[in-house]
Amino acid sequence: MSLESIDRVAVLGAGNMGHGITEVTAMAGYDVTMRDIKDEFVEDGYESIKWSVEKLEEKEMLDDSAEEVLDRIDTTTDLEAAVADADLVIEAAPEELDLKHDIFSDLEEYTSEDTLLATNTSSLPITDIAEVVDTPERVLGLHFFNPPVKMDLVEVIYGQDTSDEAAEAGYEWVESIDKTPIYVRKDVRGFVVNTIVGPFGGEPAWMVSNDEATIREADATMVHERGYPMGPFELGDLTGIDVGYHVRKEGGDPIPPITEEKVEAGDLGQKTGKGFYDYEDGDGADYEPEDAGDFDWLRVEARMINRAAFLVGEDVAKPEEVDTGVQLGLGFPEGICRRADKIGLDTVLEKLQTLYEETGSDRFEPHPYLEQLVEEGKTGEEAGAGFYDYGDDELGPFHDLNYELEDGVLSVELDRPSRMNALSEDLLNEIDELFSSVDTDEVRCATIEGAGDQAFCAGADVSGFSDANPTDLMDVTPAFETVNDFERPVLAKIDGFCLGGGLELALACDLRVATERSSFGAPEINLGLIPGGGGTQRLTRVLGETRAKELVFRGNHIDADRAEEWGLINRSVERDEFDDTVDEFVSDLAGGPPIALKIAKKVMNEGEDASIEAAIAMESQGFGLLTSTEDVLEGTAAFAEDREPEFEGK
């Protein structure tokens, strides 16, 4: 059982999750059969897929044509026919254990023992679902998030008897469909993501129920001061208050009175027009930054961090997996383990201990792993270790970017796809640290790109600067200058949105290659701001005053072809030509003379701000210095011998 043995997939269910999983499977090149119990369900699911892939094709977000993707999809209401030739079956039926038992009993009969059997359950234990199968070692959870086409995360969940072989095959398959898997190594209720999000909604509900806070205070604080994409009550209204209610009830957890009151009244959120906010006669989630007040955010985050300590301490997931889960599955601005290390685990533990002593409630009881870390002095960043180790790496560790240095090419990836790689304070600091600290003697050139398939970088993550003093933001951001002044050529690989701070980062690079679907803009003016990070100045130098002012003053986007015409980027190419074009640039840069490229960059950058006489003088000095290098001797010899030069930077 391995990825290589998976050629055909069957998805059981044509609802939102079922047709979404079918779509991403077909987009990845797999043949897939979608099955549901009625023709109308199957037809509706297929029409939803057709509409979606055609939209994606219009936006140039498909590797193949919509027609080719749709040709890979078969539909049926016959379960046996759907799974007969499948190497992987993914069940996406309603969350009823008896129904899933019926399905998996049939799968035991209709599939071979080599067929991988997965469930997309979000709430039922994998072990319970697998108990009707004689071969539970091949049963695992593949928990996609809604909608599967947009959400990058998939939890790969072990049941009690799931084999490593089955879990690894599932993990590799998820990677093959261009999603991000995380292992959930034990079959705990809530898996990883829902384990963390429970206290996010639950604790504020207790605080409001006990008259310790208001709904607007909680939402305003968590969004405007702590950077979460939605407030806990706003999120409850979106997902359905009854959903969280039933999860807590089924788990035997106490239910906050305000939650119980809303469910009993039938005020379940947006779907009923009224929940914690009024969506019919009111303005919905209408909280403002000034509503925050003195809401005790640490009480909420301490509980989430305690749940993370449970997951890590009980070997359910690693800190990296927990953090990836909450960022991709919930859109959190940073991982909860990473945030814990910033706050200080001793501060978190003290908060939990105080609340536990005051209330006697089990939900505040510190997990032994959290206590162990603090006892060992691993209290977070300042101590050099916490959930993560900060002390030994020469570079990093980095949490919001990935890098690789191979054959002289420093490849850098902005890794915040759930936020379209928006520039948080942490990410900017990591860019600054990497480009300031890397050994340039080992580097011939660098590239910067964005993770995911939506954006190079969609701008600055304003929520990430929520605690900053306005006067601090008046300082020039070091990261942009560090990239601009880096001794080696830097190429921006742009695929998707390149806006605001993302455009400023691209302008700090020396060269820019983009796909035709990319768009560029400086939309800060629409927020009552101006571009930062040198954006106003570099745009003027690159585009000239007229076009730079048009981009800044109007705040509009321009496409890649116009960006090339204006001189904002070096090339605009079709997506299927993008990698080859980038490789050509990188090959020339990495194979070029390092010293000459360094001096050329320095002279051109500094010459912009000098008089023509001073700039020419710098150029002459640089030329003179280069004549004594071994690279010049190699270059002239190679020219005379009609061969490619091999520059060594000497």
Side-chain angles (χ1 to χ4, degrees):
M1 192 178 296
S2 66
L3 172 64
E4 286 71 27
S5 65
I6 298 175
D7 293 319
R8 187 168 191 89
V9 179
V11 178
L12 309 183
N16 287 338
M17 294 306 298
H19 74 65
I21 296 169
T22 300
E23 181 177 350
V24 297
T25 301
M27 284 168 54
Y30 288 93
D31 292 325
V32 55
T33 300
M34 180 174 67
R35 180 261 181 185
D36 213 315
I37 58 174
K38 293 183 179 180
D39 287 330
E40 61 198 78
F41 296 165
V42 173
E43 290 166 5
D44 288 346
Y46 185 82
E47 286 303 311
S48 295
I49 295 172
K50 184 173 184 293
W51 177 87
S52 176
V53 296
E54 288 175 350
K55 287 294 182 183
L56 291 171
E57 184 176 42
E58 288 176 13
K59 297 177 181 178
E60 298 184 15
M61 296 179 69
L62 289 180
D63 292 331
D64 301 316
S65 69
E67 183 180 359
E68 288 173 312
V69 172
L70 293 170
D71 282 346
R72 299 187 187 115
I73 301 172
D74 292 327
T75 61
T76 185
T77 57
D78 186 327
L79 177 59
E80 183 174 4
V83 304
D85 298 323
D87 306 301
L88 167 64
V89 178
I90 304 173
E91 169 270 312
E95 295 286 72
E96 300 171 17
L97 184 59
D98 289 342
L99 173 60
K100 293 183 187 291
H101 277 172
D102 290 342
I103 292 171
F104 275 80
S105 294
D106 288 337
L107 292 178
E108 179 80 3
E109 177 183 351
Y110 297 150
T111 64
S112 75
E113 291 187 359
D114 293 328
T115 303
L116 197 61
L117 304 181
T119 173
N120 182 57
T121 184
S122 61
S123 61
L124 298 174
I126 310 303
T127 305
D128 290 356
I129 294 171
E131 65 186 4
V132 297
V133 177
D134 292 336
T135 51
E137 64 274 7
R138 64 180 172 131
V139 179
L140 74 157
L142 291 180
H143 179 215
F144 287 76
F145 287 74
N146 194 22
V149 175
K150 292 184 177 180
M151 298 296 284
D152 194 45
L153 183 71
V154 180
E155 292 177 308
V156 179
I157 308 143
Y158 278 78
Q160 182 176 310
D161 298 312
T162 305
S163 68
D164 288 338
E165 184 182 20
E168 288 166 8
Y171 189 98
E172 291 172 1
W173 179 79
V174 170
E175 288 185 315
S176 78
I177 63 169
D178 204 23
K179 297 295 180 183
T180 301
I182 60 170
Y183 278 123
V184 184
R185 293 173 177 79
K186 292 184 179 178
D187 195 5
V188 299
R189 186 167 62 88
F191 311 139
V192 165
V193 172
N194 288 333
T195 292
I196 300 298
V197 80
F200 180 76
E203 195 55 39
W206 281 111
M207 296 166 74
V208 171
S209 297
N210 296 332
D211 295 324
E212 298 168 295
T214 68
I215 288 171
R216 283 178 174 78
E217 283 175 344
D219 280 359
T221 299
M222 300 310 283
V223 170
H224 295 298
E225 294 187 2
R226 301 305 293 164
Y228 294 93
M230 282 189 180
F233 293 100
E234 181 185 13
L235 179 62
D237 277 353
L238 176 67
T239 58
I241 299 171
D242 54 325
V243 174
Y245 171 86
H246 288 302
V247 168
R248 288 186 175 89
K249 191 170 184 179
E250 290 169 6
D253 294 334
I255 298 171
I258 189 174
T259 303
E260 198 149 21
E261 290 167 11
K262 293 295 181 183
V263 172
E264 289 176 357
D267 296 334
L268 307 180
Q270 290 187 22
K271 62 186 176 184
T272 61
K274 188 180 293 186
F276 295 117
Y277 295 93
D278 190 339
Y279 300 88
E280 289 181 340
D281 303 320
D283 296 323
D286 55 354
Y287 57 89
E288 301 290 345
E290 55 267 24
D291 292 328
D294 297 321
F295 181 77
D296 189 357
W297 57 263
L298 181 57
R299 176 169 164 177
V300 180
E301 291 191 355
R303 281 202 57 208
M304 290 195 288
I305 292 163
N306 200 36
R307 298 305 291 156
F310 157 74
L311 291 170
V312 177
E314 301 295 329
D315 296 323
V316 177
K318 298 176 181 178
E320 296 87 347
E321 293 165 333
V322 174
D323 283 357
T324 297
V326 298
Q327 287 182 281
L328 296 184
L330 299 171
F332 279 13
E334 63 184 334
I336 195 65
C337 296
R338 170 76 164 153
R339 176 160 286 192
D341 283 352
K342 284 183 179 179
I343 295 170
L345 301 188
D346 50 343
T347 300
V348 173
L349 179 60
E350 182 181 357
K351 184 69 173 179
L352 291 168
Q353 288 172 333
T354 299
L355 290 166
Y356 188 46
E357 291 168 5
E358 290 176 351
T359 67
S361 174
D362 290 344
R363 70 181 189 273
F364 296 120
E365 183 176 6
H367 189 272
Y369 183 67
L370 180 61
E371 295 176 319
Q372 175 189 330
L373 288 174
V374 174
E375 287 171 6
E376 294 174 353
K378 297 178 179 178
T379 56
E381 278 188 5
E382 290 189 4
F387 279 106
Y388 294 98
D389 186 352
Y390 299 90
D392 299 329
D393 290 353
E394 183 179 348
L395 290 174
F398 299 122
H399 297 273
D400 292 327
L401 65 78
N402 306 312
Y403 79 92
E404 180 180 67
L405 179 54
E406 185 175 350
D407 296 330
V409 180
L410 176 65
S411 302
V412 181
E413 181 184 59
L414 313 179
D415 190 16
R416 302 186 76 218
S418 65
R419 311 285 279 195
M420 293 205 290
N421 303 313
L423 297 171
S424 64
E425 186 176 11
D426 284 343
L427 178 52
L428 285 167
N429 287 338
E430 290 181 357
I431 293 170
D432 181 50
E433 180 182 347
L434 175 61
F435 280 90
S436 297
S437 305
V438 70
D439 184 357
T440 52
D441 289 339
E442 301 295 322
V443 180
R444 291 293 189 94
C445 69
T447 65
I448 303 178
E449 63 185 312
D453 62 0
Q454 291 184 285
F456 169 74
C457 172
D461 188 347
V462 178
S463 64
F465 300 90
S466 55
D467 294 333
N469 188 309
T471 57
D472 295 335
L473 298 177
M474 293 172 65
D475 296 332
V476 176
T477 306
F480 299 110
E481 296 308 304
T482 303
V483 171
N484 183 77
D485 297 339
F486 189 61
E487 292 185 353
R488 302 292 185 250
V490 184
L491 169 70
K493 298 169 56 178
I494 302 165
D495 182 24
F497 293 113
C498 182
L499 308 174
L503 177 58
E504 288 142 23
L505 178 60
L507 286 166
C509 298
D510 303 293
L511 302 166
R512 292 165 286 280
V513 175
T515 58
E516 287 183 340
R517 75 183 188 109
S518 301
S519 61
F520 302 81
E524 291 92 341
I525 204 74
N526 297 319
L527 300 175
L529 298 170
I530 64 171
T536 57
Q537 303 310 302
R538 290 196 181 96
L539 273 173
T540 302
R541 285 163 170 75
V542 171
L543 299 181
E545 179 183 354
T546 303
R547 284 171 171 165
K549 285 183 175 177
E550 178 180 344
L551 211 57
V552 172
F553 290 178
R554 299 184 69 190
N556 294 336
H557 297 185
I558 61 172
D559 62 25
D561 287 342
R562 176 165 292 186
E564 182 181 24
E565 177 189 336
W566 283 11
L568 183 60
I569 62 175
N570 298 83
R571 298 285 189 280
S572 169
V573 298
E574 295 181 6
R575 286 191 88 194
D576 58 4
E577 299 174 2
F578 182 59
D579 289 339
D580 289 341
T581 303
V582 168
D583 287 346
E584 290 173 6
F585 272 72
V586 170
S587 177
D588 289 340
L589 297 174
I595 302 175
L597 286 169
K598 172 185 174 180
I599 291 179
K601 178 172 179 175
K602 184 177 180 66
V603 169
M604 294 174 79
N605 283 357
E606 294 183 3
E608 286 181 338
D609 300 318
S611 67
I612 186 65
E613 292 81 4
I616 290 174
M618 283 190 285
E619 178 188 276
S620 297
Q621 291 169 2
F623 187 91
L625 287 171
L626 290 170
T627 58
S628 63
T629 64
E630 293 182 18
D631 279 352
V632 168
L633 296 176
E634 166 63 13
T636 54
F639 178 78
E641 297 167 12
D642 194 22
R643 60 175 174 81
E644 290 294 322
E646 296 181 6
F647 297 113
E648 296 184 5
K650 298 179 181 179

